[in-house]
Amino acid sequence: MEFSIYTITNTPRLYILMSKHFSRTNFTTMSRFVLIFIIGVATLAVSSARPEDRLVNADVAEYGRYPYMVSLRVGTSFSHTCGAALVTPEHCVTAAHCVANNVPEAVDPSARFVVTGHLSNVFGGRVTQLSEVRIHPEYNPSNTWENDIAVLKLATPIPYTATEQPIPIATADVDVQDCDISGWGRHHMPSNTLPSQLQSGVMATMTRDTCIQYWASSMIFNSTLCVGGVRGNGVCSGDSGGPLVCNGELAGVVSWGNPCANGLPDGFARVYAFRDWVNENIADLSDLGRFYAAEAAASRPSRA
């Protein structure tokens, strides 16, 4: 199955940044794809420059199978811009680049809202405003988007329903395995059309050593989870910030990719690496968050 995600790009700047990180053997491959990164989305003009993202060749999601899936939207346009995952009734996790300006500074939360409990990208679902945005303090949009993760505080809690339920944050790191992915990203690039229904599929994770056979090691951090690497199976424009779920837990957040599903691995924020930071911010943002953070701490396996 294919997938893809999305992002705004500034091609000359992107070319310079990526050329610094590509190995000599990978640079020719990168130069063949760089023109594809020109594609942008008007409603995300505040987002940082980055590669493309979306789910390619996916299936229409089964109703109620992804109750944690969230659509992040902007202003009055009601247009889907990024995915996110509901991790408590009051908090979501998404990519930092979805809610940041070109510096590690959060946008005004009043300019963002989420829609939950829906499959359609056109109508339906529960609309909830954001009250606060927390971006990882070491998020670096100018350096391969390291620490690309953010926590969103909702203005009102989401009640549990058949189609609205949180997903646990990863309690252990993931191995090489198949994981579930979902999103409203484009099916191919170039395209100005998002799918009308939530798309879903399966993508396999890989080791860092395998990933740096495709990308330079300076691009792949310990907090980067590489996924895919099979032509026709990847993320694309509109999938950014969306969840990768392994073993029933939130293991990854879509960060960057080579548009779209061109056979190179996609980069995700490795949620387990940010587990403590996510829980600390959830706890700091609300009483309910403190309860969930305490539950998460109690469930974490003890270290030998």
Side-chain angles (χ1 to χ4, degrees):
M1 293 193 181
E2 294 180 71
F3 318 97
S4 306
I5 327 171
Y6 101 130
T7 47
I8 302 303
T9 62
N10 177 316
T11 302
R13 177 167 177 260
L14 180 65
Y15 191 94
I16 293 169
L17 286 172
M18 295 190 76
S19 67
K20 293 179 181 178
H21 295 282
F22 269 84
S23 64
R24 207 175 273 276
T25 55
N26 286 329
F27 185 77
T28 301
T29 300
M30 181 277 292
S31 64
R32 289 201 298 266
F33 291 121
V34 72
L35 291 179
I36 304 176
F37 290 103
I38 295 173
I39 305 300
V41 181
T43 55
L44 287 185
V46 298
S47 296
S48 62
R50 60 183 300 101
E52 213 67 52
D53 356 325
R54 94 115 215 261
L55 279 184
V56 182
N57 242 354
D59 297 323
V60 174
E62 179 183 343
Y63 182 76
R65 183 174 176 183
Y66 306 94
Y68 51 81
M69 189 70 210
V70 173
S71 174
L72 180 62
R73 306 190 182 189
V74 180
T76 59
S77 67
F78 216 71
S79 298
H80 170 84
T81 59
C82 277
L86 190 68
V87 295
T88 86
E90 279 188 331
H91 306 86
C92 297
V93 170
T94 190
H97 78 264
C98 290
V99 287
N101 294 302
N102 287 334
V103 295
E105 177 183 333
V107 297
D108 180 358
S110 66
R112 296 286 190 277
F113 62 95
V114 300
V115 182
T116 57
H118 66 307
L119 292 180
S120 173
N121 191 32
V122 181
F123 60 87
R126 185 191 312 273
V127 175
T128 306
Q129 297 296 137
L130 301 186
S131 63
E132 193 163 350
V133 172
R134 294 280 179 90
I135 290 174
H136 194 282
E138 296 179 10
Y139 166 58
N140 190 348
S142 65
N143 183 21
T144 64
W145 312 284
E146 186 178 7
N147 304 307
D148 189 8
I149 194 165
V151 172
L152 313 179
K153 167 68 166 58
L154 306 182
T156 55
I158 303 293
Y160 278 66
T161 70
T163 58
E164 296 167 292
Q165 295 181 32
I167 185 78
I169 296 167
T171 56
D173 210 353
V174 296
D175 200 348
V176 178
Q177 62 190 92
D178 289 341
C179 300
D180 292 324
I181 189 165
S182 51
W184 286 276
R186 287 161 176 74
H187 291 299
H188 59 85
M189 296 298 291
S191 171
N192 293 323
T193 304
L194 295 172
S196 61
Q197 299 289 315
L198 180 67
Q199 306 292 295
S200 65
V202 175
M203 293 180 68
T205 59
M206 66 176 62
T207 66
R208 183 177 187 274
D209 288 344
T210 301
C211 192
I212 61 178
Q213 295 177 23
Y214 299 86
W215 300 103
S217 59
S218 56
M219 293 183 64
I220 310 303
F221 307 98
N222 290 333
S223 59
T224 303
L225 179 61
C226 291
V227 182
V230 177
R231 180 172 292 276
N233 186 3
V235 291
C236 195
S237 178
D239 289 326
S240 282
L244 181 78
V245 172
C246 308
N247 303 319
E249 297 179 336
L250 179 64
V253 171
V254 176
S255 179
W256 54 268
N258 186 274
C260 293
N262 284 321
L264 294 175
D266 298 314
F268 288 59
R270 186 185 296 271
V271 172
Y272 183 69
F274 300 104
R275 175 185 168 88
D276 291 343
W277 180 83
V278 169
N279 282 325
E280 286 167 7
N281 281 272
I282 285 173
D284 187 52
L285 285 167
S286 71
D287 291 337
L288 185 60
R290 280 189 284 278
F291 169 79
Y292 272 85
E295 289 285 301
S299 67
R300 188 170 189 169
S302 59
R303 298 185 180 182

